[in-house]
Each structure stands twice: as structure tokens, then as C-alpha cells.
């Protein structure tokens, strides 16, 4: 009885997190562990959950670096704001389309951490009240986008804006780095994890959503994340000039 209960619990967990009903049957009833379509689904789910787990802390190094330095020198508030547009578009579009959490879950944690970075940038610029006001406005807008009051076509339009938002935000940061001659308080660990995550998301988006708009968004993000990581390596030994603030 206990064994049967344990088996049913395992089946429920696998179906909820990693496998479809068909793939569960292929692996555990047919014992066909080399079923390629199901292996792709399993790999996509594992990668997706891994990305979500990593996203819980992906920007914490950046946050801690700002807190230690009591400065956000080298970071562009314009770039962070546009990144928030991109993250919000991806998150609300996926939720409204009922995509599985494993295909977009990291956006939730990236949103919270990016908001924190944006607030810290306002705080250390002596504009903490403005930062609080921006947080309140942001959460009100997200609630509106997730409600039935907002037409789905409007949310889809916001998702379509992701690519130009990503391009512009990354270009702003790239130009800021180039102009400053260093990467300031940008965190190497955070940037590397973001690059790895966006690359992995190309595969998981193809497998789990089949949405070309979402896939192309991650292709573009990977390209520009790669450029910023390259700048980080190029300016690795260049000291930060705290006088240059965007």
C-alpha cells in the first residue's frame, strides 16, 4: 500500500514538473528511455527549472556589489528601465497565454531583482522617494496588464516591444561602458548567468511554447548579453572612475 502510494506521488510530481502523460508512459510503462521527443521535453523542463532556480539569485551579486560600494556607478538607469519593460512584457504575455511556469518563471524573479537594482540606483542618486513612487506605479501597471480589463492584443504588443527594448537597453549599457572606459559596478557573475540563461531559453522556448516571437526575443537577448560580457572581459583590469556616472 505504501509502495503504491509512493509510486502515485512520484507520478504526480513527474507529470506536474517534468513529463507529459504520454512521456511518462513511454519511460515507465513501455520502458522506452531513448524516445527522442520525450527526451527533448525532459531536457527542456530540466533546463527551464534550472534557469528558474538560478534566477532566484542571478542578480543578487549585482545588488550586493551596489550595496557594498554604496554606488551604482557604471550602471545605466535608462538601460535598467528598458530591461524592466522587456521582463514585464515577457512575464505578462506568458501568464495571459497560460504557458507553463517552467517556460517563463525566471521572469518573476528577474523582475523583483531588477526592480531592487533600479530602486538602489535612485536611492544612491539621492532620489529615494522617486524610487518608491516608481515601484508603486509599476505594480499597479502589472496588475492592470494581468487583469481581463486589458485586451490580450495589448499584452501581445508589449511582448513584441521586447526585442527593441532589449536592443536599446543593451546598446545604452554598451555605449555607457565604452564611454566610461570601464564596466563600473557591473557584476561578472550576474552577466554570465544572464547570458547562459538566455541561451538555454532559446531551446526551452522552442520546445515548450513554439512561439516564434518569444524565441527571437531570447536570440536577440543572447547576442547583446554576449557583447556586454565581452566588454567585461576587455575592461577586466581597468579601475573604475567613480566620477563618471550615467
Amino acid at each position: 500500500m505504501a509502495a503504491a502510494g509512493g509510486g502515485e506521488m512520484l507520478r504526480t510530481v513527474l507529470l506536474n514538473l517534468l513529463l507529459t502523460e504520454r512521456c511518462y508512459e513511454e519511460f515507465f510503462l513501455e520502458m522506452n528511455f531513448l524516445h527522442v521527443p520525450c527526451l527533448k521535453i525532459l531536457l527542456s523542463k530540466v533546463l527551464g527549472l534550472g534557469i528558474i532556480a538560478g534566477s532566484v539569485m542571478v542578480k543578487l551579486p549585482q545588488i550586493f556589489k551596489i550595496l557594498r560600494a554604496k554606488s551604482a556607478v557604471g550602471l545605466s538607469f535608462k538601460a535598467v528601465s528598458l530591461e524592466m519593460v522587456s521582463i514585464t512584457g515577457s512575464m505578462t504575455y506568458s501568464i495571459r497565454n497560460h504557458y507553463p511556469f517552467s517556460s517563463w518563471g525566471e521572469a518573476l524573479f528577474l523582475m523583483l531583482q531588477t526592480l531592487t537594482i533600479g530602486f538602489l540606483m535612485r536611492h544612491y542618486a539621492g532620489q529615494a522617494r522617486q524610487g518608491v513612487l516608481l515601484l508603486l506605479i509599476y505594480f499597479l501597471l502589472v496588475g492592470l496588464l494581468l487583469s481581463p480589463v486589458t485586451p490580450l492584443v495589448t499584452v501581445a504588443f508589449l511582448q513584441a516591444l521586447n526585442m527593441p527594448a532589449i536592443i536599446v537597453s543593451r546598446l545604452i549599457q554598451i555605449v555607457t561602458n565604452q564611454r566610461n572606459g570601464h564596466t563600473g559596478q557591473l557584476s561578472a557573475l550576474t552577466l554570465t548567468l544572464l547570458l547562459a540563461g538566455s541561451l538555454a531559453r532559446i531551446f526551452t522556448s522552442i520546445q515548450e511554447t513554439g512561439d516564434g516571437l518569444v524565441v527571437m526575443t531570447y536570440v536577440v537577448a543572447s547576442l547583446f548579453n554576449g557583447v556586454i560580457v565581452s566588454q567585461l572581459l576587455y575592461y577586466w583590469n581597468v579601475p573604475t572612475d567613480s566620477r563618471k556616472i550615467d
Side-chain angles (χ1 to χ4, degrees), residues 58 61 186-199 225-226 228-230 232-233 236:
V58 68
L186 288 176
S187 166
L189 180 57
T190 291
L191 291 174
T192 302
L193 289 173
L194 286 173
L195 175 59
S198 59
L199 285 170
N225 284 341
I228 296 176
V229 168
S230 298
L232 187 75
L233 295 174
W236 188 262

Side-chain angles (χ1 to χ4, degrees), residues 115-126:
L115 273 180
T116 302
I117 290 170
F119 173 76
L120 289 174
M121 293 178 75
R122 293 297 88 196
H123 173 68
Y124 288 120

Side-chain angles (χ1 to χ4, degrees), residues 48-94:
L49 293 174
I51 292 169
I52 293 171
S55 71
V56 173
M57 60 185 70
V58 68
K59 290 199 173 187
L60 290 183
Q62 181 68 79
I63 292 170
F64 292 146
K65 192 169 184 179
I66 293 172
L67 290 172
R68 282 196 303 269
K70 292 182 171 54
S71 166
V73 63
L75 279 76
S76 167
F77 187 73
K78 295 174 186 175
V80 170
S81 299
L82 284 169
E83 185 177 1
M84 281 305 306
V85 172
S86 174
I87 292 170
T88 304
S90 178
M91 181 180 69
T92 55
Y93 178 77
S94 298

Side-chain angles (χ1 to χ4, degrees), residues 104-117:
W104 64 268
E106 77 279 3
L108 173 62
F109 301 106
L110 288 175
M111 176 267 287
L112 294 172
Q113 293 168 81
T114 305
L115 273 180
T116 302
I117 290 170

Side-chain angles (χ1 to χ4, degrees), residues 62 65-66 68-75 173 176-177 179-188 231-232 234-246:
Q62 181 68 79
K65 192 169 184 179
I66 293 172
R68 282 196 303 269
K70 292 182 171 54
S71 166
V73 63
L75 279 76
Q173 188 62 64
T176 297
N177 295 340
R179 186 177 68 241
N180 289 346
H182 60 72
T183 53
Q185 300 303 325
L186 288 176
S187 166
Q231 284 186 313
L232 187 75
Y234 181 77
Y235 293 120
W236 188 262
N237 293 316
V238 177
T240 299
D241 183 354
S242 60
R243 292 170 299 177
K244 296 179 179 179
I245 303 176
D246 179 56

